[in-house]
């Protein structure tokens, strides 16, 4: 009886020491997406700071060009549609992956990457045009904040495109293993988060910012 009690005590003590309780650690399918959500939320904090900086400096043009003189709404609308469509196709790729459909998963990931590349090409064109017109980031505090905010988002899209290519290669080589599908889920979360951030940029910088 004493031995049994001691065993029970050790069992309870072990649970308390590890902090795992009786269930044990959660599976990677729960822990990994949860941890990645924390990363995405920290990224949102970064962009919140960039938005606040832009809002405080939008009128600090120092006699240079303003938003109405620089931004072409039609061009921005095209890149916005491209990025929003890429979010939709990314969702279709996730559905195909859940069904373990190799062909459609690769096709939708490819379409997502192409739409993301179109978005990035238009953004680079816009930056190149503005710098050619003498409206580079060094021209005024407003332009510095603009290039930092939009450029940071563009850097994230570039990283997302590299990630899409990597996932396509991994799925092709290894199939739909559990850890591959988890990585694809994290990619989907990341890509959708970029769309949300871009909607905020489009609204604050290109729509509200160009109101007469």
């Amino acid at each position: 009886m004493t031995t049994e009690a001691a065993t029970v005590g050790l069992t309870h003590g072990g649970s308390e020491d590890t902090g795992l309780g009786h269930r044990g650690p959660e599976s990677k399918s729960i822990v990994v997406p949860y941890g990645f959500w924390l990363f995405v939320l920290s990224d949102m904090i970064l962009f919140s700071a960039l938005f606040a900086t832009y809002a405080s400096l939008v009128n600090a043009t120092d006699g240079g060009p303003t938003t109405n003189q620089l931004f072409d709404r039609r061009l921005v609308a095209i890149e916005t549609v491209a990025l929003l469509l890429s979010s939709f196709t990314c969702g279709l790729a996730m559905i195909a992956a859940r069904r373990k459909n190799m062909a459609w998963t690769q096709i939708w990931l490819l379409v997502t990457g192409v739409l993301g590349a179109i978005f990035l090409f238009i953004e680079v064109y816009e930056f190149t045009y503005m710098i050619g017109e003498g409206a580079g980031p060094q021209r005024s505090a407003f332009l510095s904040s603009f290039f930092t905010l939009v450029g940071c988002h563009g850097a994230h899209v570039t990283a997302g495109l590299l990630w899409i290519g990597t996932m396509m290669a991994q799925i092709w080589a290894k199939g739909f293993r559990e850890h591959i599908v988890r990585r694809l889920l994290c990619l989907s979360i990341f890509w959708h988060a970029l769309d949300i951030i871009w909607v905020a940029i489009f609204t604050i910088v290109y729509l509200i910012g160009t109101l007469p």
Side-chain angles (χ1 to χ4, degrees), residues 114-131:
V114 169
L115 290 170
I118 291 173
F119 168 88
L120 202 60
F121 174 80
I122 296 175
E123 189 168 280
V124 170
Y125 170 80
E126 179 187 36
F127 281 6
T128 303
Y129 173 78
M130 290 174 63
I131 293 173

Side-chain angles (χ1 to χ4, degrees), residues 42-83:
S42 68
D43 224 25
M44 293 291 185
I45 294 174
L46 167 65
F47 276 100
S48 296
L50 295 179
F51 275 115
T53 303
Y54 176 84
S56 63
L57 297 176
V58 65
N59 295 318
T61 59
D62 192 31
T66 61
T67 54
N68 286 319
Q69 298 169 321
L70 290 173
F71 302 147
D72 185 348
R73 282 188 177 183
R74 292 171 297 181
L75 195 61
V76 176
I78 294 173
E79 64 177 336
T80 301
V81 170
L83 194 62

Side-chain angles (χ1 to χ4, degrees), residues 1-208:
M1 193 71 177
T2 306
T3 305
E4 183 180 349
T7 304
V8 172
L10 286 174
T11 303
H12 286 299
S15 297
E16 291 175 0
D17 291 341
T18 58
L20 299 177
H22 296 289
R23 294 178 55 192
E26 295 290 352
S27 65
K28 287 186 177 181
S29 61
I30 295 177
V31 175
V32 173
Y34 178 77
F36 194 77
W37 268 113
L38 293 179
F39 162 75
V40 170
L41 290 175
S42 68
D43 224 25
M44 293 291 185
I45 294 174
L46 167 65
F47 276 100
S48 296
L50 295 179
F51 275 115
T53 303
Y54 176 84
S56 63
L57 297 176
V58 65
N59 295 318
T61 59
D62 192 31
T66 61
T67 54
N68 286 319
Q69 298 169 321
L70 290 173
F71 302 147
D72 185 348
R73 282 188 177 183
R74 292 171 297 181
L75 195 61
V76 176
I78 294 173
E79 64 177 336
T80 301
V81 170
L83 194 62
L84 293 180
L85 284 176
S86 75
S87 186
F88 175 69
T89 57
C90 183
L92 293 177
M94 282 301 302
I95 293 174
R98 291 293 183 185
R99 296 175 178 176
K100 301 186 184 302
N101 189 316
M102 176 68 72
W104 281 110
T105 300
Q106 295 284 24
I107 289 171
W108 289 125
L109 284 176
L110 178 61
V111 173
T112 301
V114 169
L115 290 170
I118 291 173
F119 168 88
L120 202 60
F121 174 80
I122 296 175
E123 189 168 280
V124 170
Y125 170 80
E126 179 187 36
F127 281 6
T128 303
Y129 173 78
M130 290 174 63
I131 293 173
E133 292 294 312
Q138 75 282 357
R139 178 62 182 83
S140 65
F142 151 63
L143 286 169
S144 294
S145 62
F146 166 79
F147 275 91
T148 302
L149 172 60
V150 180
C152 185
H153 180 268
H156 279 68
V157 173
T158 303
L161 292 177
L162 294 174
W163 195 354
I164 289 173
T166 301
M167 290 309 306
M168 291 179 67
Q170 288 187 1
I171 292 172
W172 181 263
K174 300 180 180 180
F176 297 100
R177 298 181 183 180
E178 185 178 353
H179 66 281
I180 299 293
V181 175
R182 280 200 304 270
R183 293 170 188 171
L184 192 60
L185 174 61
C186 291
L187 168 62
S188 177
I189 294 172
F190 179 76
W191 197 259
H192 292 313
L194 292 184
D195 274 25
I196 294 172
I197 294 170
W198 178 255
V199 169
I201 293 175
F202 177 71
T203 303
I204 295 173
V205 176
Y206 294 102
L207 289 183
I208 297 177

